[in-house]
Amino acid sequence: MAVIGSGIGGAAAAAALLQRGMDVRLYEQATALAEVGVGVVIQPNGVRMLRRLGLGDELIRSGARWIDPQFRRADGSYAAAMWPPALASQIEFYGMHRADLLAMFVDRLPAEIVKAGHRCIGFEQDDEQAVITFANGLRTTADVVIAADGIHSTLQQFVVAPSAPLYSGSVAYRGVIPAAGVSWPPGAMRNWLGAGKHFLVYPVRAGLLINYVGFVTTDEPMKESWSARGDPSALAREFAGWDPMVETVIAQLKTTFRWGLFDREPLATWTRGRLTLLGDAAHPMLPHLGQGANQAIEDAVALATVLSHADRKSAPRALLIYEQLRRERTAGVQRMARVSGARYDASGNLHARDRKLDAQPQERAWVWNYDADAEAEAAAASL
């Protein structure tokens, strides 16, 4: 198995394949595996998969569990809880630093299977094998190639004509700061909602840091980038006059990242022969549902589970089973992420919006309760 791309999805896929006893190589174009300094939320469906991978203890140690998640209005007044107190013991959310999550997967991989400095530039296949070509001159063969190379995937073109990027009309300022600098309450998540913008804060790295994201509506074109620098003073102007805690968080910033929010229409297919797509290469989604990393981890576990029932000859059929399992589900999550973003930024009748916020645990149960591993095990019985 050759996994192209060592972000969250690719590293999770390599770890899941290795756990299932498969021979895997993980190829990354950068000279070292690294993640930018921002947060990610692991939700109940992602928690379930991490535990299947044997990473439950690491999640609890490196994550920061949400015990008091609230939506607030721009002035700081209470709008809604993310879930009723009666469900608090049943719903597990953990804020994590992306670098910590990536390290959880990579630490499970023997050093010899991780190949940094390998930028994929070509792909070909026949009935017997796939061949990958890298910019450094290496050509290597594999029974299966997994394209986990992100929203700008090089390998996607060998599966399907790429869909055009869809700009959401919003940008996100994001980063992390020490929690102690603003006396952040342990376990608290706050999402302040205003017309055309909202500001999200939650703890990561066992509560030592907090991750902030300021979402702002704008017609200004922005590139898709996790690492483009933003202007903290511009962010401060956008949220001037909001709840003093929002202004206090922004006042701590020395740097910030500014990220244009894009997604894609669902792809018609993810798989061609021995090549399949995973994570953002298959289903980039807006961040308003917090499911991007969770869906990539689901992809990884489901793919490894199905492939563990295959051999060299049946691998292409196994990839089609994986696609059939995942394509409709991820398309539904993509759509829900769009709806959530529109809801958060709505103006007008705040009470009507707040009632919809109260309904979220029921609306999202189908996302949170899904067991990708069990579904894949059942589907693989047809191999």
Side-chain angles (χ1 to χ4, degrees):
M1 312 295 167
V3 181
I4 311 300
S6 69
I8 299 302
L17 291 163
L18 190 68
Q19 183 193 49
R20 291 285 191 161
M22 282 170 273
D23 183 14
V24 59
R25 298 292 182 273
L26 177 63
Y27 297 94
E28 166 58 37
Q29 65 178 350
T31 56
L33 276 60
E35 271 287 3
V36 296
V38 295
V40 63
V41 182
I42 302 300
Q43 300 187 15
N45 52 309
V47 171
R48 189 174 298 114
M49 294 303 97
L50 290 179
R51 289 194 170 125
R52 298 286 168 80
L53 292 172
L55 295 170
D57 290 344
E58 288 91 333
L59 172 66
I60 292 171
R61 183 167 55 250
S62 298
R65 186 168 180 176
W66 294 9
I67 58 175
D68 180 25
Q70 295 181 17
F71 296 97
R72 298 283 183 97
R73 301 187 186 98
D75 63 4
S77 59
Y78 175 85
M82 192 166 184
W83 52 72
L87 296 178
S89 63
Q90 304 170 38
I91 299 177
E92 287 186 87
F93 272 56
Y94 293 86
M96 289 202 70
H97 196 292
R98 292 185 72 92
D100 295 341
L101 180 59
L102 181 66
M104 283 168 51
F105 299 125
V106 173
D107 287 350
R108 293 295 177 98
L109 305 178
E112 63 269 18
I113 78 170
V114 179
K115 308 296 182 182
H118 286 67
R119 179 169 65 87
C120 181
I121 59 172
F123 173 85
E124 55 192 274
Q125 64 176 318
D126 56 29
D127 290 343
E128 299 299 322
Q129 64 181 11
V131 181
I132 323 155
T133 305
F134 298 92
N136 60 11
L138 176 70
R139 283 171 59 86
T140 190
T141 62
D143 298 320
V144 168
V145 177
I146 299 157
D149 51 345
I151 195 168
H152 299 294
S153 171
T154 297
L155 288 171
Q156 187 189 73
Q157 63 184 308
F158 298 101
V159 175
V160 64
S163 58
L166 300 174
Y167 179 49
S168 67
S170 295
V171 300
Y173 293 83
R174 60 188 305 158
V176 294
I177 62 172
V182 296
S183 301
W184 189 255
M189 181 283 285
R190 298 289 182 266
N191 197 352
W192 290 268
L193 310 179
K197 59 187 73 173
H198 57 286
F199 196 87
L200 169 67
V201 179
Y202 58 84
V204 300
R205 193 162 284 172
L208 297 176
L209 303 174
I210 57 171
N211 181 80
Y212 69 87
V213 193
F215 296 92
V216 178
T217 301
T218 178
D219 293 329
E220 178 187 350
M222 276 290 297
K223 66 179 180 178
E224 297 164 298
S225 172
W226 284 89
S227 56
R229 294 286 179 174
D231 180 0
S233 62
L235 177 60
R237 289 192 297 272
E238 292 285 358
F239 292 94
W242 280 46
D243 183 348
M245 179 56 87
V246 173
E247 295 189 311
T248 298
V249 170
I250 295 173
Q252 301 295 309
L253 309 183
K254 295 180 175 62
T255 61
T256 187
F257 297 101
R258 189 166 182 256
W259 171 35
L261 302 185
F262 291 78
D263 66 0
R264 303 285 199 278
E265 290 296 343
L267 296 176
T269 183
W270 294 9
T271 300
R272 187 173 298 277
R274 296 181 179 275
L275 172 63
T276 197
L277 307 177
L278 182 146
D280 281 354
H283 48 74
M285 55 188 64
L286 297 176
H288 306 301
L289 203 62
Q291 274 287 321
N294 296 272
Q295 292 303 308
I297 295 168
E298 281 192 0
D299 287 351
V301 174
L303 179 58
T305 299
V306 173
L307 283 172
S308 70
H309 291 268
D311 56 21
R312 179 177 285 109
K313 183 177 180 180
S314 62
R317 188 153 55 93
L319 297 183
L320 290 174
I321 290 172
Y322 153 75
E323 177 188 327
Q324 291 162 5
L325 274 172
R326 300 297 303 153
R327 191 155 56 90
E328 183 176 346
R329 172 165 169 80
T330 56
V333 177
Q334 282 178 297
R335 288 190 293 270
M336 182 173 273
R338 291 179 181 177
V339 170
S340 293
R343 176 180 294 170
Y344 293 161
D345 292 337
S347 57
N349 188 332
L350 296 180
H351 293 291
R353 183 198 63 193
D354 295 350
R355 285 195 298 273
K356 291 180 180 179
L357 294 174
D358 277 329
Q360 287 190 121
Q362 293 77 26
E363 291 177 353
R364 298 184 182 187
W366 72 272
V367 179
W368 296 343
N369 294 338
Y370 185 84
D371 189 330
D373 186 23
E375 293 290 331
E377 193 69 49
S382 64
L383 279 171

